[in-house]
Amino acid sequence: MTLPGLPLEALRPPLLPALETPQRCMVLAQHNRVTVLDARAAALGIQVGMSRTHAQALVPDLLLLGADPLREHEALVAVALALLRYTPRVVLTEAHTILLEVSASLRLFGGIRRLWRALSETLDGFAYRSVLACAPTAWGSWLLAQARVHTQMQAVGARVGASLRYRVLRAGMLTRMLERLPVALLPAAAPHLMALEQLGCDTLRVLRALPEAGVVRRFGSALPQQLAQAYGMAPDPREWFVAPASFAVRLELQARVANTEALLFAARRLLLQLAGWLAARHAAVSGYTLQLVHETARSGMPQVSELPVAWSAPSRDADHLAWLLREKFNQTRLLAPVLELRLITSQVEPYAPASDTLFPLPGIERDSMLRLVERLAARLGREAVLQMVPHADHRPEVALADTPCRIAAPRARARAGGAARTRTHAASTAAGSAGASVASSVGSLAKLSGSAGLRPAWLLETAQALAVREGRPVLQGALQKLSGPERIETGWWDSPGAARDYFVARDTRGSLCWIYRECRSGRWFLQGWFA
C-alpha cells in the first residue's frame, strides 16, 4: 500500500469531523513546482508540476508548504505500527509505501477480500489517502500501487487503461499485468528515462525483451535486478520494520478542540497504533493514560491533564479500548480546549489470544462477564458496581457483604481461588452451606422436605415482617411450609444476637420462599425467594 498524499498530510494535522471551520487549500511545493496537493486544491484547477506563481494566481489564499522528511517518517511509522496487527512482516520502502507479507495471515483473517477490507478500515482511521495493491512479489505490488496512483495521469492512464487489476494472486496474472506498465514507474529507471525513450523502451515488456548484458552495460545492474525481482525471478531480501520496546505516541490536532467526541475520533488513531504494537509484542494492556495538552488562556491553569483508563482483564482490541475511552470521556469535563494528545502505557503483560475450538471453553463465559463488569464500571463508576464477599457468619444478612467490584484477570482469579462472587451468583455462606436454586415446580414434596440447608439466590436487603393468621404466616394468602425447621442460633457476641427457625415455604401462586420465625418473639419474617 502507498500513501501518495503523505508529504502534505503529515504536515497537516487530522481534520476532525466536529470542526466546521473552513480550511484553506494546501499544496506542497519543491523547486518552485507543486508536487503534492489536496482535494480542494485539485478541484480549483491546481495540478502537479504547476509553478508556484501559477497556482497562487488561481487560488490567491493558497497555503504553500515545504517538505518535512522527519514528520513524513513519523507518520509512516505510525501507520506501520497499526498494521502490525495483521502481520509481523512489515517493510517501509520508497515513495511512502508500506509492504506487508500477508501469505501467513490470509487464513487467520478469512481470505484476501476480508483482509483487504480490514486494512482499508484501519487506514481510514488515519484519514490518510491510501492506495492498496496485492501481488506475489514485493516489487510487483509496489509497481501496481504506483500505477494505481498515476492512473489519472495522461502519461500512464493511456497505456494502463481501466482494466488493470490491482489484486493479483497468481504469478501468471502478475506477468501479464506488469508487462503493460510503463518503465518510468521503476525507481532504477528514473536517471535513464530519456535514453530509454529514445530506444523506444516504454513498457516493462519491451525492457524485459532487451538483452540483459546490454542493459547492464548501458544502464547498470540496478534496473534489470529490480525488473527480475518484480517478476519473481530473483530474490528480494527486505529489512523488516521492528516495533519500539516501549509505547508512547503523540498527535497534534488541527485546531483547538473542546468537544470530547472529536477528541475520541483523534484518539482512535493512537489506539490503532497501540493495538498493532501490542500484537507485535504478543502482549496486552490493562490500562493506559491519555494526556491532554490544553490551550492555557489563564495563568495557573495546568497545561497537561491526564485521563487514566483502566480495566480488569488485559486486552488489545482497539474497539474495546475506544469504547472504554468513550465512557471515560462522558464522565470528564475538559479544563480547556485541547491542542495535542499523548498516549502512554506501562501496564503491559504477556497475552495469549483465545484459540478457536469446536466447543466453547469454560473461560469464554467468564471473560464475557469480565467485559460486562468493565463496561458497567466505565459507565457508572467503579464504586457503583458491587460484588458479594463471603464472611464467616451463619446469619444470611451478614454472611455476604457488598464491596466495590474488584474482579481480577482470569489468571489472578485462579490463583485467588475465586473468593469473590457477584450478587447474582451468591450462593453459599462461609459456614459451608452450599448454595442452590430450587425450581418453582417441585416434583416431590417428600424429596424437598428431606433436604436441608437450602439457600435462595435472592435475599432481601431487609427481612420483611409477615402477618400471622390462625398461627400460620401469611403473604397474599397462607404460606405452606415444605421443609424445616433449620435452627440458626448465633451472634451472641452481637446484641441481641439471632435465634431463628428457618423454613422453605410456598405461597398461593406456587413460588418458593425462605421464611423464619424468631424463637424469642415468635414473629415471622420473609428472608428471600428461590428461583
Side-chain angles (χ1 to χ4, degrees):
M1 65 188 64
T2 184
L3 307 173
L6 189 65
L8 178 61
E9 293 165 342
L11 300 174
R12 182 189 64 193
L15 178 63
L16 306 181
L19 301 179
E20 300 295 340
T21 55
Q23 303 295 322
R24 296 174 60 185
C25 295
M26 299 180 183
V27 299
L28 192 70
Q30 261 184 323
H31 306 297
N32 203 32
R33 294 288 176 180
V34 174
T35 56
V36 184
L37 65 158
D38 60 8
R40 292 183 296 273
L44 294 175
I46 300 177
Q47 300 177 1
V48 175
M50 184 179 291
S51 65
R52 295 164 59 103
T53 54
H54 190 182
Q56 288 179 320
L58 291 176
V59 183
D61 62 341
L62 182 66
L63 182 59
L64 294 168
L65 302 175
D68 189 340
L70 179 59
R71 299 189 68 171
E72 293 176 20
H73 180 71
E74 291 177 350
L76 196 65
V77 168
V79 177
L81 272 177
L83 297 179
L84 285 174
R85 62 186 297 194
Y86 301 105
T87 173
R89 297 185 174 184
V90 176
V91 178
L92 308 183
T93 186
E94 295 88 346
H96 308 101
T97 302
I98 302 177
L99 299 176
L100 284 77
E101 204 285 304
V102 298
S103 59
S105 304
L106 295 180
R107 182 178 179 183
L108 176 63
F109 290 94
I112 185 61
R113 294 181 183 273
R114 292 186 178 180
L115 179 59
W116 186 288
R117 191 180 307 115
L119 290 171
S120 300
E121 293 175 356
T122 300
L123 293 173
D124 290 342
F126 285 84
Y128 291 155
R129 185 163 61 97
S130 60
V131 173
L132 275 69
C134 176
T137 64
W139 273 118
S141 61
W142 189 94
L143 289 170
L144 290 177
Q146 299 304 317
R148 191 175 183 185
V149 171
H150 295 88
T151 191
Q152 300 297 328
M153 301 173 58
Q154 183 177 2
V156 177
R159 295 179 176 89
V160 176
S163 60
L164 184 66
R165 298 180 60 176
Y166 304 107
R167 191 163 59 198
V168 180
L169 300 181
R170 297 192 302 272
M173 179 61 68
L174 175 63
T175 300
R176 292 193 291 272
M177 293 297 106
L178 291 180
E179 288 183 346
R180 300 168 54 187
L181 298 182
V183 71
L185 291 179
L186 277 175
H192 316 290
L193 289 181
M194 185 174 295
L196 291 170
E197 183 179 357
Q198 292 174 353
L199 291 175
C201 184
D202 55 349
T203 64
L204 297 184
R205 181 181 62 82
V206 178
L207 177 62
R208 193 183 182 195
L210 295 177
E212 182 177 352
V215 173
V216 171
R217 185 172 56 255
R218 186 165 184 176
F219 303 110
S221 60
L223 186 59
Q225 181 181 6
Q226 284 187 2
L227 187 66
Q229 290 172 342
Y231 282 88
M233 305 301 295
D236 188 7
R238 300 278 180 166
E239 183 178 353
W240 306 116
F241 170 74
V242 179
S246 59
F247 185 84
V249 293
R250 56 182 290 273
L251 178 63
E252 179 187 354
L253 303 179
Q254 187 167 346
R256 49 195 299 272
V257 180
N259 188 317
T260 56
E261 191 67 26
L263 289 179
L264 180 65
F265 174 83
R268 182 169 177 80
R269 177 185 296 196
L270 304 181
L271 295 176
L272 288 174
Q273 299 178 51
L274 175 60
W277 181 82
L278 291 172
R281 308 287 297 185
H282 302 286
V285 292
S286 55
Y288 61 83
T289 300
L290 183 67
Q291 294 183 345
L292 311 177
V293 181
H294 298 281
E295 178 189 38
T296 54
R298 301 188 304 271
S299 60
M301 178 183 298
Q303 184 181 6
V304 179
S305 63
E306 293 188 348
L307 196 66
V309 182
W311 53 96
S312 300
S315 174
R316 64 185 187 190
D317 183 5
D319 294 332
H320 180 58
L321 303 186
W323 193 96
L324 293 172
L325 182 59
R326 178 189 295 275
E327 297 300 329
K328 194 72 173 181
F329 269 136
N330 291 339
Q331 305 172 26
T332 303
R333 182 178 180 182
L334 299 178
L335 301 177
V338 181
L339 301 177
E340 182 180 327
L341 298 177
R342 301 171 185 170
L343 184 63
I344 303 173
T345 179
S346 57
Q347 305 176 34
V348 182
E349 54 188 275
Y351 176 78
S355 60
D356 295 332
T357 58
L358 178 61
F359 301 102
L361 299 176
I364 295 179
E365 296 182 359
R366 181 176 55 190
D367 294 341
S368 300
M369 178 60 67
L370 273 176
R371 288 293 180 91
L372 174 60
V373 172
E374 289 171 1
R375 294 195 171 198
L376 291 175
R379 176 167 297 183
L380 305 176
R382 193 163 291 275
E383 66 282 354
V385 182
L386 305 177
Q387 66 183 17
M388 303 303 293
V389 177
H391 289 268
D393 201 302
H394 290 277
R395 291 168 293 183
E397 66 272 15
V398 183
L400 294 174
D402 292 340
T403 61
C405 187
R406 292 291 185 270
I407 294 184
R411 291 187 298 274
R413 291 203 310 276
R415 291 192 298 266
R421 303 183 183 183
T422 58
R423 174 185 294 272
T424 55
H425 294 284
S428 65
T429 65
S433 299
S437 296
V438 181
S440 57
S441 58
V442 180
S444 173
L445 295 182
K447 180 180 179 181
L448 181 61
S449 61
S451 60
L454 293 175
R455 296 293 183 267
W458 178 13
L459 293 178
L460 302 181
E461 290 284 344
T462 304
Q464 176 184 344
L466 297 176
V468 179
R469 184 183 304 161
E470 298 178 358
R472 299 175 59 184
V474 176
L475 179 65
Q476 297 180 353
L479 295 174
Q480 179 186 2
K481 293 192 290 291
L482 302 180
S483 71
E486 177 192 354
R487 175 66 60 88
I488 294 181
E489 187 168 357
T490 185
W492 53 266
W493 54 90
D494 294 339
S495 179
R500 308 166 184 169
D501 287 334
Y502 278 85
F503 299 85
V504 177
R506 182 163 57 188
D507 64 6
T508 56
R509 297 174 299 177
S511 301
L512 299 182
C513 57
W514 201 34
I515 62 176
Y516 69 86
R517 180 184 60 206
E518 287 188 342
C519 297
R520 298 185 182 92
S521 63
R523 300 177 60 192
W524 287 89
F525 292 86
L526 173 66
Q527 186 77 68
W529 294 91
F530 292 93

